[in-house]
Structure formats: structure tokens, C-alpha cells
Amino acid sequence: MTTPVRVGQVGLGSWGRNLLRNFDEAARLAWICDTNEEALRSQASRYPTARATAALEDLLADEQLDALVVATPVATHYELARLALEAGKHVFVEKPPAMRAAEMEELLELARERERVLMPGHLLLYHPGVRKLKELIDSGELGEVLCVYGNRQNLGVIRSHENALWSLGVHDLSVILWLIDEEPVEAVAHGRDFLQPGVEDVVFCFLRFPSGKVAHMHLSWLDPHKMRKMTVVGKEKMAVFDDMELERKITVYDKAPWEPAETYGEWRTRTGDIFSPKIPNDEPLRLEVQHFLDLVRSGPGDHAEAVYGLHVVRALERLTESLRAGAPA
Ligand SMILES: NC(=O)c1ccc[n+]([C@@H]2O[C@H](COP(=O)([O-])OP(=O)(O)OC[C@H]3O[C@@H](n4cnc5c(N)ncnc54)[C@H](O)[C@@H]3O)[C@@H](O)[C@H]2O)c1
């Protein structure tokens, strides 16, 4: 029997509680930490075998502790992840792991030096529906991918420390970069701050990749009609991942522009079946936590997760520059 990984978690807020539940099930929850007394007290009563503290130093000083989970607000991620890596801990850090590419590069360097796992929490990459999209692309079933676009709209949650790009866009961006497997050469973002000055509630993004593929994201917390969709248009077929659907998470349209017709300048379109492959019902967070624990046991390898996290932060940073300047970055 393998000894369970000993985990400590800092940040016990609304999302942090989901992480706590999963780490408690899959590992040994040794420490919980929050500077908010009420949050600490309520989780201490739920997880009585974990030691509770408001001081992160207690966790960092525990030589028996293997890994730290960071689920605090975004602005604190880089600093807490850095302290944990310096103390020799493996780190799972909620998305985005840093707010600047230079900071993420520093974290990656530290993880390499110390041979520790650094895994940003890009949850959607563990969603069986998104995995199916990737499989459809990589198997060539959709043909050459032409464009990908994400819709992430809802009424709320309205944040004041992050705009819609950093709060919502990080999810779709992580999926788009993973599906296309390239970093963008052009990143343009436009948005508007209707509710709070300087905090964009709605953001439209355009990305162009070296291969010529393009992507788009519509991000908003002002839309009463909730959408959680990712569409991939290929030369042969189109696939749509719709997380609002209970059963038909993925729909594949066997339809495409086919070949130029005899008449010059005209294109015929081909229409075929529309079908929905079966998608397993596994909880993405459980799969994500399991992947982190597997890495802690096996070692960080080529640090693919952290490198990938750097690509996401880099693209976010460029989109933010464009948003601020009102011009392409
Ligand atoms: N992967 C996902 O789908 C997903 C979903 C929601 C939120 N998140 C991410 O999870 C993180 C936490 O989100 P949340 O909604 O739980 O936030 P929250 O505000 O509800 O909770 C954050 C907690 O961290 C504590 N905290 C802040 N600074 C601290 C410090 N220095 N030391 C100890 N405790 C500290 C606060 O007291 C609070 O209890 C955010 O980074 C967010 O982006 C991810």
C-alpha cells in the first residue's frame, strides 16, 4: 500500500471547500489554513483530524508535509506558491497561478530547481467533455482545425478584484491553447466596464496562431442567458462542447464546405449526420486532484502542467495589454 500524500491547504473559501473535500478523500489532509477566523473555524469542525492555523509558516515548517494547495484570491497566488516551492513543497495553485508572465517564469524555474510539482488548477482540462473535444481534434476526425470559439456568459458572479477576462477568460483560454497546441502570435481584446470603473464586465477576445488558426472568446457576467460553450470548426466536421447540456455535452456536425463547384467562385456544402458521443460523468475536480497526486508520487517529469500554465498567463497578459491600450498586442 502506498503512503498517502500529506497535503495542506491555504484558502478555505467557497471554491476552496470543493478542493478540501476532494483532497480529504484522495490524500491525507494534514493542515488547513485561512486568515479569516470564521472560515478556519467552520472547516476545522468539518475536518477535525487536520491541524488548523492562520499562519502559513506552520505549514511550511512541517517537514512531513508533501504538498500545498493554494486556493486564495488570485493576487496572492504567486507569492504563496513561491513560498511553498522555496520550502520544498509540491504546489497545486488555483488558476491563474500568477498575474504576470515574469512571475510564472520564476515559479517554473523554482519548481525545476527544486524538482517539485507546480500544477495550476486549469479544471476544464480534466472535464471529460473537453477531453473528448481534444480527442476528436487529435484523431483528425474534424479535419484541419480552422477556428475555435468560446462562450462564457452568465448573470454574475460580479467580481471587483478581477475583470471578466481574468475571472472567466482564464478557463476558455486554457482550453483554446490546449486544443490548438500553439501560442498566439496576435492577441486582441476589447471590453467595457459598465458596473465598476476599470473592471470590465464584458470582454471580446481574438487570437491568431502561427498555423493560421483563429480563436474568439465572448466573456461576460452581464448576460441573463447562461452559456458555457466551446465550438471547434474543422475542415471536415464541427464539434460543440456545451456544459449546460446534461446528456449531450458534445455534438458533432458532419457538415462542411466541401469543394469548389464547377462554376468558378462557388462552393458546395456537404451535410451529413449530427451525433453525440457518450461522455463519462466523472467529476472534473476529482480527476484534476488525482492527476496532481499522481504527479507528486511520480515526480514532475518535464513540468508540462507548469509550462502550460505559463502559456496561459502569457496570453492573458497580452490580452490585458490590448484591452488597456484598445489596440492589438
Ligand atoms: N477552478 C475553478 O473552477 C475555480 C472556481 C472558482 C474559484 N476558483 C479560484 O479559487 C480561488 C479561491 O476562490 P474562492 O471563490 O474560494 O475565494 P474566496 O474569496 O471565497 O476564498 C478565499 C479565502 O482565502 C483566504 N485568504 C486570503 N488571503 C489569504 C492568505 N494570505 N492566507 C490565508 N488565507 C487567505 C480568505 O480569507 C478566504 O477565506 C481563486 O483563485 C479563484 O480564482 C477556481
Side-chain angles (χ1 to χ4, degrees), residues 10-17 19 33-36 39 54 56 70-74 76-77 80 94-96 121-123 159 162 167 171 288:
V10 54
L12 314 173
S14 49
W15 181 251
R17 285 165 211 183
L19 285 161
C33 172
D34 201 300
T35 44
N36 179 300
L56 180 68
V70 179
T72 49
V74 175
T76 64
H77 288 175
L80 299 183
E94 258 313 327
K95 54 78 193 166
H122 292 304
L123 180 71
R159 304 213 180 239
E162 301 152 47
S167 175
H171 288 295
E288 184 182 42

PDB file of all heavy atoms in Angstrom, residues 10-17 19 33-36 39 54 56 70-74 76-77 80 94-96 121-123 159 162 167 171 288, ligand 1:
ATOM      1  N   VAL A  10      -4.194  26.209   1.873  1.00  0.00           N
ATOM      2  CA  VAL A  10      -4.355  27.589   2.304  1.00  0.00           C
ATOM      3  C   VAL A  10      -5.456  28.226   1.455  1.00  0.00           C
ATOM      4  O   VAL A  10      -5.430  28.134   0.230  1.00  0.00           O
ATOM      5  CB  VAL A  10      -3.015  28.374   2.237  1.00  0.00           C
ATOM      6  CG1 VAL A  10      -2.356  28.292   0.865  1.00  0.00           C
ATOM      7  CG2 VAL A  10      -3.203  29.820   2.650  1.00  0.00           C
ATOM      8  N   GLY A  11      -6.461  28.828   2.138  1.00  0.00           N
ATOM      9  CA  GLY A  11      -7.622  29.385   1.447  1.00  0.00           C
ATOM     10  C   GLY A  11      -8.776  28.411   1.537  1.00  0.00           C
ATOM     11  O   GLY A  11      -8.763  27.360   0.896  1.00  0.00           O
ATOM     12  N   LEU A  12      -9.760  28.752   2.403  1.00  0.00           N
ATOM     13  CA  LEU A  12     -10.870  27.826   2.661  1.00  0.00           C
ATOM     14  C   LEU A  12     -12.195  28.496   2.307  1.00  0.00           C
ATOM     15  O   LEU A  12     -13.175  28.391   3.027  1.00  0.00           O
ATOM     16  CB  LEU A  12     -10.870  27.411   4.144  1.00  0.00           C
ATOM     17  CG  LEU A  12      -9.508  27.006   4.734  1.00  0.00           C
ATOM     18  CD1 LEU A  12      -9.622  26.792   6.242  1.00  0.00           C
ATOM     19  CD2 LEU A  12      -8.980  25.732   4.062  1.00  0.00           C
ATOM     20  N   GLY A  13     -12.194  29.251   1.191  1.00  0.00           N
ATOM     21  CA  GLY A  13     -13.399  29.983   0.779  1.00  0.00           C
ATOM     22  C   GLY A  13     -14.353  29.087   0.016  1.00  0.00           C
ATOM     23  O   GLY A  13     -14.326  27.860   0.132  1.00  0.00           O
ATOM     24  N   SER A  14     -15.198  29.704  -0.813  1.00  0.00           N
ATOM     25  CA  SER A  14     -16.270  28.927  -1.443  1.00  0.00           C
ATOM     26  C   SER A  14     -15.733  27.870  -2.412  1.00  0.00           C
ATOM     27  O   SER A  14     -16.225  26.734  -2.422  1.00  0.00           O
ATOM     28  CB  SER A  14     -17.275  29.854  -2.126  1.00  0.00           C
ATOM     29  OG  SER A  14     -16.589  30.776  -2.923  1.00  0.00           O
ATOM     30  N   TRP A  15     -14.729  28.201  -3.210  1.00  0.00           N
ATOM     31  CA  TRP A  15     -14.158  27.189  -4.103  1.00  0.00           C
ATOM     32  C   TRP A  15     -13.206  26.260  -3.340  1.00  0.00           C
ATOM     33  O   TRP A  15     -13.146  25.054  -3.575  1.00  0.00           O
ATOM     34  CB  TRP A  15     -13.442  27.850  -5.286  1.00  0.00           C
ATOM     35  CG  TRP A  15     -12.877  26.834  -6.227  1.00  0.00           C
ATOM     36  CD1 TRP A  15     -11.560  26.535  -6.422  1.00  0.00           C
ATOM     37  CD2 TRP A  15     -13.617  25.938  -7.069  1.00  0.00           C
ATOM     38  NE1 TRP A  15     -11.424  25.523  -7.336  1.00  0.00           N
ATOM     39  CE2 TRP A  15     -12.674  25.130  -7.750  1.00  0.00           C
ATOM     40  CE3 TRP A  15     -14.976  25.722  -7.307  1.00  0.00           C
ATOM     41  CZ2 TRP A  15     -13.043  24.139  -8.659  1.00  0.00           C
ATOM     42  CZ3 TRP A  15     -15.351  24.743  -8.211  1.00  0.00           C
ATOM     43  CH2 TRP A  15     -14.388  23.971  -8.866  1.00  0.00           C
ATOM     44  N   GLY A  16     -12.493  26.868  -2.405  1.00  0.00           N
ATOM     45  CA  GLY A  16     -11.537  26.092  -1.607  1.00  0.00           C
ATOM     46  C   GLY A  16     -12.191  24.890  -0.933  1.00  0.00           C
ATOM     47  O   GLY A  16     -11.576  23.837  -0.770  1.00  0.00           O
ATOM     48  N   ARG A  17     -13.454  25.030  -0.570  1.00  0.00           N
ATOM     49  CA  ARG A  17     -14.146  23.910   0.107  1.00  0.00           C
ATOM     50  C   ARG A  17     -14.317  22.699  -0.807  1.00  0.00           C
ATOM     51  O   ARG A  17     -14.301  21.564  -0.343  1.00  0.00           O
ATOM     52  CB  ARG A  17     -15.522  24.364   0.615  1.00  0.00           C
ATOM     53  CG  ARG A  17     -15.324  25.218   1.853  1.00  0.00           C
ATOM     54  CD  ARG A  17     -16.523  26.013   2.239  1.00  0.00           C
ATOM     55  NE  ARG A  17     -16.018  27.239   2.873  1.00  0.00           N
ATOM     56  CZ  ARG A  17     -16.761  28.173   3.396  1.00  0.00           C
ATOM     57  NH1 ARG A  17     -18.064  28.049   3.383  1.00  0.00           N
ATOM     58  NH2 ARG A  17     -16.212  29.232   3.941  1.00  0.00           N
ATOM     59  N   LEU A  19     -12.152  21.889  -3.105  1.00  0.00           N
ATOM     60  CA  LEU A  19     -10.811  21.278  -3.126  1.00  0.00           C
ATOM     61  C   LEU A  19     -10.572  20.471  -1.850  1.00  0.00           C
ATOM     62  O   LEU A  19     -10.058  19.356  -1.893  1.00  0.00           O
ATOM     63  CB  LEU A  19      -9.744  22.365  -3.275  1.00  0.00           C
ATOM     64  CG  LEU A  19      -9.625  22.975  -4.675  1.00  0.00           C
ATOM     65  CD1 LEU A  19      -8.900  24.308  -4.619  1.00  0.00           C
ATOM     66  CD2 LEU A  19      -8.904  22.023  -5.617  1.00  0.00           C
ATOM     67  N   CYS A  33      -5.535  26.151   6.475  1.00  0.00           N
ATOM     68  CA  CYS A  33      -5.040  27.478   6.857  1.00  0.00           C
ATOM     69  C   CYS A  33      -5.895  28.562   6.211  1.00  0.00           C
ATOM     70  O   CYS A  33      -6.183  28.505   5.007  1.00  0.00           O
ATOM     71  CB  CYS A  33      -3.581  27.585   6.378  1.00  0.00           C
ATOM     72  SG  CYS A  33      -2.862  29.221   6.554  1.00  0.00           S
ATOM     73  N   ASP A  34      -6.311  29.535   7.018  1.00  0.00           N
ATOM     74  CA  ASP A  34      -7.018  30.699   6.465  1.00  0.00           C
ATOM     75  C   ASP A  34      -6.853  31.841   7.453  1.00  0.00           C
ATOM     76  O   ASP A  34      -6.878  31.622   8.666  1.00  0.00           O
ATOM     77  CB  ASP A  34      -8.509  30.393   6.258  1.00  0.00           C
ATOM     78  CG  ASP A  34      -9.153  31.334   5.252  1.00  0.00           C
ATOM     79  OD1 ASP A  34      -9.152  32.568   5.494  1.00  0.00           O
ATOM     80  OD2 ASP A  34      -9.624  30.853   4.207  1.00  0.00           O
ATOM     81  N   THR A  35      -6.701  33.053   6.918  1.00  0.00           N
ATOM     82  CA  THR A  35      -6.553  34.209   7.801  1.00  0.00           C
ATOM     83  C   THR A  35      -7.910  34.660   8.341  1.00  0.00           C
ATOM     84  O   THR A  35      -7.972  35.439   9.290  1.00  0.00           O
ATOM     85  CB  THR A  35      -5.877  35.378   7.046  1.00  0.00           C
ATOM     86  OG1 THR A  35      -6.477  35.478   5.757  1.00  0.00           O
ATOM     87  CG2 THR A  35      -4.395  35.167   6.891  1.00  0.00           C
ATOM     88  N   ASN A  36      -8.970  34.162   7.746  1.00  0.00           N
ATOM     89  CA  ASN A  36     -10.309  34.501   8.233  1.00  0.00           C
ATOM     90  C   ASN A  36     -10.723  33.490   9.305  1.00  0.00           C
ATOM     91  O   ASN A  36     -10.843  32.299   9.041  1.00  0.00           O
ATOM     92  CB  ASN A  36     -11.276  34.473   7.044  1.00  0.00           C
ATOM     93  CG  ASN A  36     -12.696  34.781   7.462  1.00  0.00           C
ATOM     94  OD1 ASN A  36     -13.285  34.071   8.279  1.00  0.00           O
ATOM     95  ND2 ASN A  36     -13.225  35.834   6.908  1.00  0.00           N
ATOM     96  N   ALA A  39     -13.890  31.282   8.640  1.00  0.00           N
ATOM     97  CA  ALA A  39     -13.649  30.231   7.622  1.00  0.00           C
ATOM     98  C   ALA A  39     -12.833  29.100   8.238  1.00  0.00           C
ATOM     99  O   ALA A  39     -13.121  27.913   8.028  1.00  0.00           O
ATOM    100  CB  ALA A  39     -12.908  30.831   6.423  1.00  0.00           C
ATOM    101  N   ALA A  54      -3.864  29.998  11.276  1.00  0.00           N
ATOM    102  CA  ALA A  54      -3.982  31.182  10.417  1.00  0.00           C
ATOM    103  C   ALA A  54      -2.618  31.532   9.830  1.00  0.00           C
ATOM    104  O   ALA A  54      -2.507  32.428   8.999  1.00  0.00           O
ATOM    105  CB  ALA A  54      -4.513  32.359  11.235  1.00  0.00           C
ATOM    106  N   LEU A  56       0.591  30.596   7.645  1.00  0.00           N
ATOM    107  CA  LEU A  56       1.124  29.708   6.605  1.00  0.00           C
ATOM    108  C   LEU A  56       2.466  29.100   7.026  1.00  0.00           C
ATOM    109  O   LEU A  56       2.803  27.973   6.656  1.00  0.00           O
ATOM    110  CB  LEU A  56       1.284  30.493   5.299  1.00  0.00           C
ATOM    111  CG  LEU A  56       1.835  29.701   4.116  1.00  0.00           C
ATOM    112  CD1 LEU A  56       0.838  28.653   3.652  1.00  0.00           C
ATOM    113  CD2 LEU A  56       2.219  30.618   2.967  1.00  0.00           C
ATOM    114  N   VAL A  70      -3.082  25.929  -2.936  1.00  0.00           N
ATOM    115  CA  VAL A  70      -3.310  27.365  -2.777  1.00  0.00           C
ATOM    116  C   VAL A  70      -4.661  27.718  -3.399  1.00  0.00           C
ATOM    117  O   VAL A  70      -4.849  27.608  -4.615  1.00  0.00           O
ATOM    118  CB  VAL A  70      -2.180  28.184  -3.447  1.00  0.00           C
ATOM    119  CG1 VAL A  70      -2.441  29.684  -3.298  1.00  0.00           C
ATOM    120  CG2 VAL A  70      -0.820  27.812  -2.858  1.00  0.00           C
ATOM    121  N   ALA A  71      -5.615  28.125  -2.558  1.00  0.00           N
ATOM    122  CA  ALA A  71      -6.958  28.475  -3.043  1.00  0.00           C
ATOM    123  C   ALA A  71      -7.384  29.816  -2.454  1.00  0.00           C
ATOM    124  O   ALA A  71      -8.505  29.968  -1.949  1.00  0.00           O
ATOM    125  CB  ALA A  71      -7.947  27.375  -2.677  1.00  0.00           C
ATOM    126  N   THR A  72      -6.482  30.766  -2.508  1.00  0.00           N
ATOM    127  CA  THR A  72      -6.718  32.121  -2.008  1.00  0.00           C
ATOM    128  C   THR A  72      -7.037  33.026  -3.217  1.00  0.00           C
ATOM    129  O   THR A  72      -6.969  32.560  -4.363  1.00  0.00           O
ATOM    130  CB  THR A  72      -5.437  32.616  -1.306  1.00  0.00           C
ATOM    131  OG1 THR A  72      -4.341  32.371  -2.185  1.00  0.00           O
ATOM    132  CG2 THR A  72      -5.199  31.886   0.005  1.00  0.00           C
ATOM    133  N   PRO A  73      -7.351  34.307  -3.012  1.00  0.00           N
ATOM    134  CA  PRO A  73      -7.604  35.186  -4.165  1.00  0.00           C
ATOM    135  C   PRO A  73      -6.390  35.284  -5.102  1.00  0.00           C
ATOM    136  O   PRO A  73      -5.232  35.135  -4.671  1.00  0.00           O
ATOM    137  CB  PRO A  73      -7.904  36.538  -3.509  1.00  0.00           C
ATOM    138  CG  PRO A  73      -8.409  36.178  -2.146  1.00  0.00           C
ATOM    139  CD  PRO A  73      -7.634  34.972  -1.730  1.00  0.00           C
ATOM    140  N   VAL A  74      -6.693  35.542  -6.381  1.00  0.00           N
ATOM    141  CA  VAL A  74      -5.680  35.481  -7.446  1.00  0.00           C
ATOM    142  C   VAL A  74      -4.417  36.287  -7.132  1.00  0.00           C
ATOM    143  O   VAL A  74      -3.300  35.811  -7.348  1.00  0.00           O
ATOM    144  CB  VAL A  74      -6.304  35.975  -8.780  1.00  0.00           C
ATOM    145  CG1 VAL A  74      -5.262  36.035  -9.886  1.00  0.00           C
ATOM    146  CG2 VAL A  74      -7.466  35.079  -9.177  1.00  0.00           C
ATOM    147  N   THR A  76      -2.808  36.796  -4.630  1.00  0.00           N
ATOM    148  CA  THR A  76      -1.882  36.213  -3.650  1.00  0.00           C
ATOM    149  C   THR A  76      -1.209  34.923  -4.163  1.00  0.00           C
ATOM    150  O   THR A  76      -0.300  34.404  -3.509  1.00  0.00           O
ATOM    151  CB  THR A  76      -2.632  35.846  -2.349  1.00  0.00           C
ATOM    152  OG1 THR A  76      -3.599  34.824  -2.655  1.00  0.00           O
ATOM    153  CG2 THR A  76      -3.364  37.023  -1.751  1.00  0.00           C
ATOM    154  N   HIS A  77      -1.657  34.405  -5.308  1.00  0.00           N
ATOM    155  CA  HIS A  77      -1.193  33.076  -5.754  1.00  0.00           C
ATOM    156  C   HIS A  77       0.320  32.977  -5.909  1.00  0.00           C
ATOM    157  O   HIS A  77       0.959  32.042  -5.421  1.00  0.00           O
ATOM    158  CB  HIS A  77      -1.845  32.706  -7.102  1.00  0.00           C
ATOM    159  CG  HIS A  77      -3.301  32.383  -6.974  1.00  0.00           C
ATOM    160  ND1 HIS A  77      -4.100  32.118  -8.055  1.00  0.00           N
ATOM    161  CD2 HIS A  77      -4.116  32.291  -5.885  1.00  0.00           C
ATOM    162  CE1 HIS A  77      -5.335  31.871  -7.645  1.00  0.00           C
ATOM    163  NE2 HIS A  77      -5.365  31.981  -6.334  1.00  0.00           N
ATOM    164  N   LEU A  80       2.326  33.044  -2.527  1.00  0.00           N
ATOM    165  CA  LEU A  80       2.148  31.840  -1.707  1.00  0.00           C
ATOM    166  C   LEU A  80       2.779  30.623  -2.381  1.00  0.00           C
ATOM    167  O   LEU A  80       3.415  29.784  -1.718  1.00  0.00           O
ATOM    168  CB  LEU A  80       0.659  31.590  -1.422  1.00  0.00           C
ATOM    169  CG  LEU A  80      -0.060  32.712  -0.646  1.00  0.00           C
ATOM    170  CD1 LEU A  80      -1.506  32.337  -0.362  1.00  0.00           C
ATOM    171  CD2 LEU A  80       0.653  33.008   0.676  1.00  0.00           C
ATOM    172  N   GLU A  94      -4.471  27.432  -7.551  1.00  0.00           N
ATOM    173  CA  GLU A  94      -5.650  27.735  -8.359  1.00  0.00           C
ATOM    174  C   GLU A  94      -5.294  28.669  -9.512  1.00  0.00           C
ATOM    175  O   GLU A  94      -4.280  29.359  -9.483  1.00  0.00           O
ATOM    176  CB  GLU A  94      -6.762  28.349  -7.478  1.00  0.00           C
ATOM    177  CG  GLU A  94      -7.856  27.370  -7.131  1.00  0.00           C
ATOM    178  CD  GLU A  94      -8.371  26.563  -8.340  1.00  0.00           C
ATOM    179  OE1 GLU A  94      -8.384  27.100  -9.455  1.00  0.00           O
ATOM    180  OE2 GLU A  94      -8.740  25.398  -8.166  1.00  0.00           O
ATOM    181  N   LYS A  95      -6.145  28.666 -10.504  1.00  0.00           N
ATOM    182  CA  LYS A  95      -5.892  29.475 -11.699  1.00  0.00           C
ATOM    183  C   LYS A  95      -6.216  30.943 -11.437  1.00  0.00           C
ATOM    184  O   LYS A  95      -7.117  31.215 -10.652  1.00  0.00           O
ATOM    185  CB  LYS A  95      -6.691  28.947 -12.881  1.00  0.00           C
ATOM    186  CG  LYS A  95      -8.220  28.828 -12.601  1.00  0.00           C
ATOM    187  CD  LYS A  95      -8.954  30.121 -12.670  1.00  0.00           C
ATOM    188  CE  LYS A  95     -10.322  30.141 -12.142  1.00  0.00           C
ATOM    189  NZ  LYS A  95     -10.893  31.447 -11.940  1.00  0.00           N
ATOM    190  N   PRO A  96      -5.563  31.870 -12.090  1.00  0.00           N
ATOM    191  CA  PRO A  96      -4.270  31.715 -12.738  1.00  0.00           C
ATOM    192  C   PRO A  96      -3.175  31.743 -11.675  1.00  0.00           C
ATOM    193  O   PRO A  96      -3.312  32.435 -10.673  1.00  0.00           O
ATOM    194  CB  PRO A  96      -4.183  32.962 -13.627  1.00  0.00           C
ATOM    195  CG  PRO A  96      -5.019  33.986 -12.929  1.00  0.00           C
ATOM    196  CD  PRO A  96      -6.090  33.244 -12.179  1.00  0.00           C
ATOM    197  N   GLY A 121      -4.415  25.137 -11.421  1.00  0.00           N
ATOM    198  CA  GLY A 121      -5.725  24.478 -11.452  1.00  0.00           C
ATOM    199  C   GLY A 121      -6.573  24.819 -12.670  1.00  0.00           C
ATOM    200  O   GLY A 121      -7.572  25.518 -12.547  1.00  0.00           O
ATOM    201  N   HIS A 122      -6.152  24.308 -13.829  1.00  0.00           N
ATOM    202  CA  HIS A 122      -6.962  24.519 -15.039  1.00  0.00           C
ATOM    203  C   HIS A 122      -7.978  23.384 -15.142  1.00  0.00           C
ATOM    204  O   HIS A 122      -7.806  22.419 -15.890  1.00  0.00           O
ATOM    205  CB  HIS A 122      -6.055  24.604 -16.271  1.00  0.00           C
ATOM    206  CG  HIS A 122      -5.212  25.838 -16.283  1.00  0.00           C
ATOM    207  ND1 HIS A 122      -5.770  27.089 -16.191  1.00  0.00           N
ATOM    208  CD2 HIS A 122      -3.874  26.023 -16.345  1.00  0.00           C
ATOM    209  CE1 HIS A 122      -4.799  27.995 -16.208  1.00  0.00           C
ATOM    210  NE2 HIS A 122      -3.642  27.375 -16.291  1.00  0.00           N
ATOM    211  N   LEU A 123      -9.049  23.561 -14.381  1.00  0.00           N
ATOM    212  CA  LEU A 123     -10.045  22.498 -14.179  1.00  0.00           C
ATOM    213  C   LEU A 123     -10.621  21.908 -15.465  1.00  0.00           C
ATOM    214  O   LEU A 123     -10.798  20.688 -15.587  1.00  0.00           O
ATOM    215  CB  LEU A 123     -11.192  23.085 -13.332  1.00  0.00           C
ATOM    216  CG  LEU A 123     -12.330  22.139 -13.017  1.00  0.00           C
ATOM    217  CD1 LEU A 123     -11.877  21.086 -12.021  1.00  0.00           C
ATOM    218  CD2 LEU A 123     -13.524  22.903 -12.445  1.00  0.00           C
ATOM    219  N   ARG A 159     -17.356  40.236  -9.944  1.00  0.00           N
ATOM    220  CA  ARG A 159     -16.185  40.378  -9.055  1.00  0.00           C
ATOM    221  C   ARG A 159     -15.694  41.811  -9.105  1.00  0.00           C
ATOM    222  O   ARG A 159     -15.932  42.531 -10.083  1.00  0.00           O
ATOM    223  CB  ARG A 159     -15.080  39.421  -9.502  1.00  0.00           C
ATOM    224  CG  ARG A 159     -15.572  37.974  -9.544  1.00  0.00           C
ATOM    225  CD  ARG A 159     -14.478  36.985  -9.187  1.00  0.00           C
ATOM    226  NE  ARG A 159     -14.984  35.640  -9.240  1.00  0.00           N
ATOM    227  CZ  ARG A 159     -14.995  34.791  -8.213  1.00  0.00           C
ATOM    228  NH1 ARG A 159     -14.536  35.159  -7.039  1.00  0.00           N
ATOM    229  NH2 ARG A 159     -15.455  33.561  -8.344  1.00  0.00           N
ATOM    230  N   GLU A 162     -11.101  41.234  -9.998  1.00  0.00           N
ATOM    231  CA  GLU A 162     -10.694  40.708 -11.303  1.00  0.00           C
ATOM    232  C   GLU A 162     -11.766  41.106 -12.314  1.00  0.00           C
ATOM    233  O   GLU A 162     -12.935  41.136 -11.962  1.00  0.00           O
ATOM    234  CB  GLU A 162     -10.691  39.180 -11.323  1.00  0.00           C
ATOM    235  CG  GLU A 162      -9.820  38.478 -10.347  1.00  0.00           C
ATOM    236  CD  GLU A 162     -10.398  37.092 -10.001  1.00  0.00           C
ATOM    237  OE1 GLU A 162     -10.774  36.344 -10.919  1.00  0.00           O
ATOM    238  OE2 GLU A 162     -10.467  36.785  -8.802  1.00  0.00           O
ATOM    239  N   SER A 167     -11.290  36.520 -14.642  1.00  0.00           N
ATOM    240  CA  SER A 167     -12.134  35.610 -13.875  1.00  0.00           C
ATOM    241  C   SER A 167     -12.696  34.496 -14.752  1.00  0.00           C
ATOM    242  O   SER A 167     -12.651  33.323 -14.383  1.00  0.00           O
ATOM    243  CB  SER A 167     -13.284  36.411 -13.257  1.00  0.00           C
ATOM    244  OG  SER A 167     -14.170  35.547 -12.624  1.00  0.00           O
ATOM    245  N   HIS A 171     -10.441  30.304 -18.026  1.00  0.00           N
ATOM    246  CA  HIS A 171     -10.946  28.952 -18.295  1.00  0.00           C
ATOM    247  C   HIS A 171     -10.910  28.650 -19.794  1.00  0.00           C
ATOM    248  O   HIS A 171     -10.356  27.645 -20.237  1.00  0.00           O
ATOM    249  CB  HIS A 171     -12.400  28.811 -17.828  1.00  0.00           C
ATOM    250  CG  HIS A 171     -12.547  28.770 -16.343  1.00  0.00           C
ATOM    251  ND1 HIS A 171     -12.043  27.759 -15.584  1.00  0.00           N
ATOM    252  CD2 HIS A 171     -13.154  29.617 -15.482  1.00  0.00           C
ATOM    253  CE1 HIS A 171     -12.333  27.972 -14.310  1.00  0.00           C
ATOM    254  NE2 HIS A 171     -12.993  29.097 -14.224  1.00  0.00           N
ATOM    255  N   GLU A 288      -8.791  16.071 -11.605  1.00  0.00           N
ATOM    256  CA  GLU A 288      -7.687  17.038 -11.522  1.00  0.00           C
ATOM    257  C   GLU A 288      -6.841  16.785 -10.269  1.00  0.00           C
ATOM    258  O   GLU A 288      -5.605  16.748 -10.327  1.00  0.00           O
ATOM    259  CB  GLU A 288      -8.278  18.450 -11.495  1.00  0.00           C
ATOM    260  CG  GLU A 288      -7.231  19.548 -11.500  1.00  0.00           C
ATOM    261  CD  GLU A 288      -7.855  20.936 -11.422  1.00  0.00           C
ATOM    262  OE1 GLU A 288      -8.811  21.130 -10.651  1.00  0.00           O
ATOM    263  OE2 GLU A 288      -7.365  21.836 -12.123  1.00  0.00           O
TER     264      GLU A 288
HETATM  265  N1  LIG B   1     -11.120  26.177 -10.926  1.00  0.00           N
HETATM  266  C1  LIG B   1     -12.302  26.739 -10.802  1.00  0.00           C
HETATM  267  O1  LIG B   1     -13.273  26.390 -11.483  1.00  0.00           O
HETATM  268  C2  LIG B   1     -12.477  27.845  -9.808  1.00  0.00           C
HETATM  269  C3  LIG B   1     -13.770  28.270  -9.459  1.00  0.00           C
HETATM  270  C4  LIG B   1     -13.879  29.296  -8.529  1.00  0.00           C
HETATM  271  C5  LIG B   1     -12.750  29.893  -7.990  1.00  0.00           C
HETATM  272  N2  LIG B   1     -11.511  29.455  -8.380  1.00  0.00           N
HETATM  273  C6  LIG B   1     -10.284  30.067  -7.832  1.00  0.00           C
HETATM  274  O2  LIG B   1     -10.127  29.633  -6.488  1.00  0.00           O
HETATM  275  C7  LIG B   1      -9.533  30.678  -5.718  1.00  0.00           C
HETATM  276  C8  LIG B   1     -10.368  30.908  -4.469  1.00  0.00           C
HETATM  277  O3  LIG B   1     -11.661  31.298  -4.858  1.00  0.00           O
HETATM  278  P1  LIG B   1     -12.859  31.372  -3.789  1.00  0.00           P
HETATM  279  O4  LIG B   1     -14.090  31.628  -4.581  1.00  0.00           O
HETATM  280  O5  LIG B   1     -12.792  30.208  -2.872  1.00  0.00           O
HETATM  281  O6  LIG B   1     -12.429  32.703  -2.994  1.00  0.00           O
HETATM  282  P2  LIG B   1     -12.962  33.182  -1.562  1.00  0.00           P
HETATM  283  O7  LIG B   1     -12.757  34.645  -1.538  1.00  0.00           O
HETATM  284  O8  LIG B   1     -14.323  32.620  -1.285  1.00  0.00           O
HETATM  285  O9  LIG B   1     -11.940  32.483  -0.526  1.00  0.00           O
HETATM  286  C9  LIG B   1     -10.593  32.840  -0.415  1.00  0.00           C
HETATM  287  C10 LIG B   1     -10.151  32.518   1.022  1.00  0.00           C
HETATM  288  O10 LIG B   1      -8.743  32.752   1.105  1.00  0.00           O
HETATM  289  C11 LIG B   1      -8.481  33.376   2.377  1.00  0.00           C
HETATM  290  N3  LIG B   1      -7.202  34.096   2.289  1.00  0.00           N
HETATM  291  C12 LIG B   1      -6.912  35.174   1.537  1.00  0.00           C
HETATM  292  N4  LIG B   1      -5.604  35.503   1.651  1.00  0.00           N
HETATM  293  C13 LIG B   1      -5.053  34.588   2.494  1.00  0.00           C
HETATM  294  C14 LIG B   1      -3.737  34.383   2.990  1.00  0.00           C
HETATM  295  N5  LIG B   1      -2.720  35.174   2.623  1.00  0.00           N
HETATM  296  N6  LIG B   1      -3.518  33.342   3.836  1.00  0.00           N
HETATM  297  C15 LIG B   1      -4.540  32.529   4.205  1.00  0.00           C
HETATM  298  N7  LIG B   1      -5.812  32.682   3.757  1.00  0.00           N
HETATM  299  C16 LIG B   1      -6.078  33.686   2.906  1.00  0.00           C
HETATM  300  C17 LIG B   1      -9.686  34.263   2.630  1.00  0.00           C
HETATM  301  O11 LIG B   1      -9.831  34.562   3.989  1.00  0.00           O
HETATM  302  C18 LIG B   1     -10.819  33.397   2.082  1.00  0.00           C
HETATM  303  O12 LIG B   1     -11.386  32.573   3.090  1.00  0.00           O
HETATM  304  C19 LIG B   1      -9.437  31.897  -6.634  1.00  0.00           C
HETATM  305  O13 LIG B   1      -8.144  31.961  -7.121  1.00  0.00           O
HETATM  306  C20 LIG B   1     -10.361  31.589  -7.775  1.00  0.00           C
HETATM  307  O14 LIG B   1      -9.895  32.134  -8.995  1.00  0.00           O
HETATM  308  C21 LIG B   1     -11.370  28.436  -9.249  1.00  0.00           C
END
